[in-house]
Amino acid sequence: MNLPSRVKLVEVGPRDGLQNEKQPVPAAIKIELVHRLQAAGLTEIEVTSFVSPKWVPQMADNAEVMAGVNRKPGVRYSVLTPNLQGFEAATQSRPDEIVVFGAASEAFSQKNINCSIADSIERFRPVAQAALAKGLTVRGAISCAVGCPYEGEIAPERVAMVARLMHGIGVQHVGVADTIGVGTPLKVQRALEAALTVYTIDQISGHFHDTYGMALANTLASLQMGVWQFDTSVAGLGGCPYAKGATGNVASEDVVYLLHGMGIETGIDLDKLVDAGAFISDFLQRKPNSRAATALLNKRAQA
Ligand code: HMG
Ligand code: MG
């Protein structure tokens, strides 16, 4: 066991969490969510994406949301940029980090960003160059790292291949993403090992959707390999409009409960995080999709 003593969570609720919501969420609500998340101690927040508003209408207010956030010192704000057009629009909003998002599955790449894996790398190349030149950090997401809604199981070699391609264009960190939440611990470990043939343990993170209820087990399996960075989403929001059947990301509250229970530091105040999850869940008129949040809210109601 190679457990880290501290873990960094990248809160993706405002982006991955909300992008899949059918009902429009006003920019003011998104901004308030970011404020509550940073008040809870999150230091990395994926705020929005600069993608085509025809493809993902929910993210059309990207610039408004970025402009409305009162930046807290020590917090880093990231945004998704699929191409140079998105990057140029994003720079007006002064993100700290940009995320290019590719896939280990050809079919998913086509459905999600309308091009092949090879073409996506050519689109990301000038984005990464321009971002690095401006002193921004560049993260890459490798979607469908264990399974694809269109191609089925994905071999770890595909993950290694995309990691190599991303590394070759200057991407500094990769997130190994189980987009549709089909992974189980050993498969996830193999996908992470594949990324580790190119990147170091400090340069990779886990991004696990929880469709089959495996995301916490997959998080634990990653921790046991020494992985210490994870994308999580408050109240378990999330999903990709181009990944049919996929549900939300692993809930931030559940991961924080797991980590604190294991004596692993996060710097996050779980009670305030639960409040942030309750805030957005109230707006969406549903209960938080987090067992830990549910338990803590029930406990509060009984107190
Ligand atoms: P395309 O149609 O091939 O692009 O879409 P195009 O370059 O041919 O341009 C077509 C139109 O889109 C033009 O407008 C462009 O201006 C516009 P028109 O002339 O028709 O009015 N356009 C843009 N508008 C705003 N921002 C841009 C942009 N680029 C072009 N950046 C494109 C290609 C990538 C744009 C499109 O496929 C797209 O927006 N896809 C986004 C899909 C998406 O956001 N998916 C969810 C995020 S990924 C995810 O959730 C997975 C992740 O969580 C990890 C995991 O779980 O796996 C990260
Ligand atoms: Mg995702």
Side-chain angles (χ1 to χ4, degrees):
M1 287 246 261
N2 198 11
L3 290 175
S5 56
R6 189 178 171 84
V7 156
K8 185 178 86 183
L9 297 188
V10 177
E11 171 58 51
V12 298
R15 195 281 304 170
D16 202 334
L18 295 179
Q19 73 180 10
N20 211 30
E21 290 298 328
K22 297 279 172 290
Q23 57 168 313
V25 179
I29 298 286
K30 294 172 179 162
I31 293 163
E32 175 68 16
L33 176 62
V34 172
H35 289 163
R36 286 175 183 251
L37 291 166
Q38 60 193 21
L42 269 310
T43 54
E44 299 266 347
I45 304 178
E46 205 170 272
V47 180
T48 185
S49 57
F50 286 80
V51 298
S52 162
K54 288 190 189 133
W55 284 62
V56 186
Q58 186 69 261
M59 297 285 111
D61 58 3
N62 40 32
E64 189 184 351
V65 173
M66 284 295 278
V69 171
N70 293 324
R71 308 246 175 145
K72 186 178 167 198
V75 177
R76 291 165 38 81
Y77 304 88
S78 56
V79 300
L80 265 57
T81 55
N83 53 19
L84 212 43
Q85 185 177 340
F87 175 76
E88 274 156 12
T91 49
Q92 319 279 320
S93 297
R94 298 182 298 104
D96 299 296
E97 179 173 76
I98 56 110
V99 185
V100 291
F101 47 105
S105 143
E106 278 296 346
F108 185 77
S109 180
Q110 287 290 353
K111 297 270 186 199
N112 195 41
I113 50 174
N114 207 24
C115 64
S116 67
I117 296 172
D119 288 346
S120 75
I121 296 296
E122 290 318 311
R123 289 185 188 181
F124 301 154
R125 188 189 300 277
V127 175
Q129 266 169 7
L132 293 170
K134 282 189 185 296
L136 307 181
T137 50
V138 181
R139 181 153 55 89
I142 305 180
S143 287
C144 297
V146 284
C148 167
Y150 312 103
E151 290 183 12
E153 202 146 320
I154 297 291
E157 293 73 40
R158 308 284 301 167
V159 177
M161 178 201 73
V162 180
R164 257 193 315 275
L165 292 171
M166 287 201 173
H167 194 261
I169 58 166
V171 172
Q172 294 158 303
H173 176 113
V174 286
V176 174
D178 183 8
T179 313
I180 54 169
V182 289
T184 41
L186 299 184
K187 288 182 188 169
V188 165
Q189 286 184 335
R190 275 182 226 123
L192 291 166
E193 276 160 11
L196 283 169
T197 61
V198 181
Y199 285 91
T200 69
I201 197 80
D202 296 332
Q203 295 171 322
I204 69 164
S205 51
H207 176 112
F208 306 134
H209 286 260
D210 198 31
T211 319
Y212 286 81
M214 294 293 114
L216 274 182
N218 294 337
T219 303
L220 180 58
S222 311
L223 288 167
Q224 287 170 334
M225 292 173 66
V227 175
W228 60 276
Q229 300 174 85
F230 297 93
D231 296 349
T232 65
S233 178
V234 72
L237 301 171
C240 175
Y242 300 100
K244 285 195 182 58
T247 61
N249 293 77
V250 66
S252 306
E253 299 92 316
D254 292 347
V255 174
V256 170
Y257 182 82
L258 170 79
L259 295 169
H260 290 183
M262 293 172 72
I264 298 173
E265 280 177 42
T266 64
I268 294 165
D269 180 326
L270 180 54
D271 278 318
K272 287 188 182 165
L273 182 60
V274 168
D275 291 340
F279 163 77
I280 191 65
S281 301
D282 283 349
F283 174 81
L284 296 169
Q285 296 186 294
R286 68 172 83 116
K287 301 264 185 239
N289 190 13
S290 154
R291 300 286 282 265
T294 304
L296 289 166
L297 287 167
N298 287 343
K299 204 169 159 188
R300 280 187 201 172
Q302 286 154 12

